[in-house]
Amino acid sequence: MRTQQVHPVMIFWGCMISAVQPFVEKATRFSLQRLGVALEEMPEATCCPDPEISRTLGGDLWLTLAARNLSIANRASRDVTVICNGCFETLSKANTELSDKAVSDKVNPILNRHGYEYNGSSQIYHMISFLHDVVGLEAVKSKLVQDVSGLRCSPQYGCRVLRENLNLTPKFDRLVEILGAELIHTDTERLCCGVPTMYADPDFSLHQRSEVKLREIKQAGAECITLFCPACAERIERAQVALRSEGEDFNIPVVNYLELLALCLGASPSEIGAHLHRVPLDPILERIRKTT
Amino acid sequence: MSDEENPLYPLRKKAVSPVPTSFQSSVANLINQAQVQSLLDYWIDERTSLGLPEKPISAYSSEKAVQQTQEIVKEVEFDRTVRFDWNKRRLRT
C-alpha cells in the first residue's frame, strides 16, 4: 500500500466540469482529500482546447493553447491529472507532439512573449491511472467506508480512452469493482456516446449512437452507467431527456466514477450535489451501505 | 437573378462562414472567454451552494488568461481563419 500522503497533483478541470457539472468537481475534491492527495488547481488555465472543433479548424491555436496550459504545470514542477477524456486527449497528444524539439521551438517563441516556456517536464495522467497507479488500488480500497454492493453498473469508457493504448479500461473496471459494483458489459460499451457527431447530425447522434447504447444497457439489466468523461455524461443524460419526448423513458442514472467513489468514501448525496442530475441517482443511493 | 441575390446590390455576394454553423458558438466562446463552455449564473449559484468557489481559478476568473488567449489567436491568425469580427465579438457569417 502507498503512503498516506500522495504527492500533490495539479488538476486540470476543463470547461465542462467547472461550468455544468460542479457535482463532479465537488466529488473529486472530497475524494482526493479523503485519499490524502493534496490538490492544486491549474491557475489561469484556458480551454484545453477541445480536440474536435479547435483542432480541426486551427491546429496551430490548438497546439499553442495546449502548450500554454502544459507550461503552467511545467513551471510549477507538477504532473497534470485530467478527468475529461477530451482534455486528456488534447493535453497528452500535445505533450507528445511538443516533445519534438522542432515543434516546441515553433511554439515557445509565442509562449515566451506571454511569460511561459514549455519544457516537457510534466506527465499527463488520466484520473483512471492516477487513482489506479499513483494513489494505488489498495490505498483507495482501505479508505472506503461504504460500498454499493451488487449495483449493476455499465461502464462507459469513452472513445478517447480506447484510442490511447494506455491499458485504461481494465484499470477502470478494477476501480469500479473495488466499490462492490457488478460490471455489466455490453456489445456497445465501446460505441461512441454521440458527442462528436452531434455537431454535424444531431438526429444521427441521438438515435444511432446514444439511443442504441441506452437500449442495450437497459436490456442488459444495468441500473446505472458509470464513467469519467463529462462530455459522455452530458450527452447520455441529455439524450434520455430528449428521448422522453419521443415516448422512450430509459431512466438510467449516469454517474461519474468520482461521485460513486465520494459516496463510498463517506460523502452524503446532498454534500456532493447528487440532486443536480437530470436523471435521478435514486437506484444508486438506495444501494449504498456501510462496509462491515 | 437567383433568390440569394440582392436586387439593390446584384454584385454583392452573400458571405459564407468557413466555420460550420454548429461550430460557430463554440469558436466564438473560445475566442471571447478562452473556454468553449460558458459558465452561467445558474451554475455559479449551484457551485456556491455546494461550497465551491464561485468560479474556478482558470480563465473563467482570469482576465489575463482571456487576454493572452486573444493575443495568441491573433498571433497564429486563427481570427482570420474563422473570420472573427473583433468589434462585434462574433464570427462573420
Side-chain angles (χ1 to χ4, degrees):
Chain A
M1 197 190 333
R2 305 294 171 102
T3 53
Q4 283 269 320
Q5 187 72 36
V6 178
H7 69 78
V9 52
M10 182 168 270
I11 196 152
F12 185 86
W13 293 116
C15 60
M16 289 201 84
I17 289 173
S18 298
V20 294
Q21 294 174 15
F23 39 88
V24 176
E25 182 178 332
K26 180 70 181 186
T28 305
R29 289 174 186 272
F30 182 94
S31 298
L32 293 183
Q33 191 260 329
R34 284 293 165 99
L35 294 171
V37 178
L39 182 149
E40 282 180 31
E41 294 175 76
M42 187 181 282
E44 298 182 338
T46 66
C47 187
C48 54
D50 81 281
E52 262 103 38
I53 301 171
S54 312
R55 195 175 186 204
T56 309
L57 292 170
D60 289 344
L61 179 73
W62 174 81
L63 189 63
T64 311
L65 286 183
R68 182 188 170 281
N69 286 326
L70 292 168
S71 70
I72 295 170
N74 293 167
R75 185 158 61 191
S77 301
R78 293 281 181 263
D79 292 332
V80 181
T81 297
V82 187
I83 301 166
C84 172
N85 288 11
C87 297
F88 176 70
E89 173 158 299
T90 280
L91 296 181
S92 54
K93 281 199 169 168
N95 214 24
T96 304
E97 286 187 27
L98 290 158
S99 65
D100 179 346
K101 194 170 179 304
V103 177
S104 58
D105 280 352
K106 276 175 70 179
V107 171
N108 266 332
I110 301 174
L111 297 182
N112 294 162
R113 285 197 281 279
H114 302 285
Y116 299 97
E117 169 90 17
Y118 172 85
N119 65 22
S121 61
S122 302
Q123 191 171 341
I124 314 301
Y125 290 103
H126 194 287
M127 184 58 86
I128 296 171
S129 50
F130 181 77
L131 289 173
H132 191 280
D133 302 334
V134 180
V135 178
L137 210 55
E138 286 305 312
V140 175
K141 206 171 169 183
S142 72
K143 296 284 172 54
L144 302 176
V145 294
Q146 304 188 111
D147 69 27
V148 286
S149 281
L151 179 71
R152 293 166 63 83
C153 261
S154 176
Q156 165 64 17
Y157 303 112
C159 52
R160 303 176 202 290
V161 163
L162 302 174
R163 278 207 289 263
E164 301 289 337
N165 186 23
L166 295 168
N167 203 27
L168 288 174
T169 55
K171 292 177 184 175
F172 181 117
D173 288 353
R174 284 194 284 273
L175 284 167
V176 176
E177 283 167 347
I178 61 167
L179 306 182
E182 179 189 349
L183 279 163
I184 304 297
H185 292 287
T186 63
D187 289 343
T188 55
E189 68 190 14
R190 288 168 184 250
L191 182 73
C192 173
C193 65
V195 165
T197 52
M198 75 183 182
Y199 298 107
D201 190 341
D203 189 66
F204 174 87
S205 167
L206 178 62
H207 294 293
Q208 301 302 318
R209 289 293 175 266
S210 311
E211 186 182 351
V212 168
K213 189 178 270 290
L214 285 162
R215 197 170 297 286
E216 189 168 294
I217 289 168
K218 191 82 175 176
Q219 278 171 358
E223 294 167 283
C224 71
I225 298 167
T226 189
L227 38 66
F228 279 85
C229 180
C232 292
E234 194 73 3
R235 178 67 223 162
I236 298 171
E237 267 202 347
R238 277 181 184 271
Q240 292 189 64
V241 175
L243 289 166
R244 260 183 226 150
S245 65
E246 298 178 11
E248 290 279 2
D249 195 1
F250 288 101
N251 201 27
I252 305 171
V254 183
V255 66
N256 193 294
Y257 175 80
L258 289 151
E259 294 175 274
L260 269 186
L261 178 62
L263 291 167
C264 292
L265 287 166
S268 70
S270 59
E271 191 177 3
I272 57 166
H275 56 283
L276 293 169
H277 282 268
R278 293 182 190 88
V279 180
L281 299 189
D282 297 357
I284 298 168
L285 303 180
E286 286 163 10
R287 291 290 190 129
I288 296 169
R289 62 173 183 83
K290 295 235 180 300
T291 47
T292 48
Chain B
M1 188 170 70
S2 75
D3 291 344
E4 290 189 358
E5 282 178 13
N6 185 328
L8 272 181
Y9 306 101
L11 296 179
R12 182 177 291 175
K13 287 183 180 173
K14 191 178 178 190
V16 179
S17 172
V19 182
T21 312
S22 52
F23 284 11
Q24 286 171 5
S25 63
S26 299
V27 171
N29 283 350
L30 179 63
I31 298 174
N32 283 321
Q33 59 193 31
Q35 299 278 16
V36 164
Q37 188 81 44
S38 297
L39 178 54
L40 304 176
D41 288 347
Y42 169 80
W43 285 113
I44 291 176
D45 290 345
E46 294 297 352
R47 287 180 61 84
T48 49
S49 73
L50 288 174
L52 295 170
E54 269 194 7
K55 296 176 180 179
I57 58 167
S58 62
Y60 285 121
S61 57
S62 167
E63 190 54 40
K64 182 180 154 200
V66 175
Q67 275 177 6
Q68 286 181 351
T69 299
Q70 293 175 348
E71 285 164 24
I72 292 170
V73 162
K74 290 174 184 168
E75 284 174 82
V76 300
E77 300 189 341
F78 184 69
D79 53 341
R80 296 177 72 153
T81 305
V82 299
R83 300 180 57 206
F84 188 75
D85 185 329
W86 287 102
N87 292 322
K88 293 180 181 169
R89 298 267 158 189
R90 61 179 174 80
L91 302 182
R92 291 194 181 92
T93 54

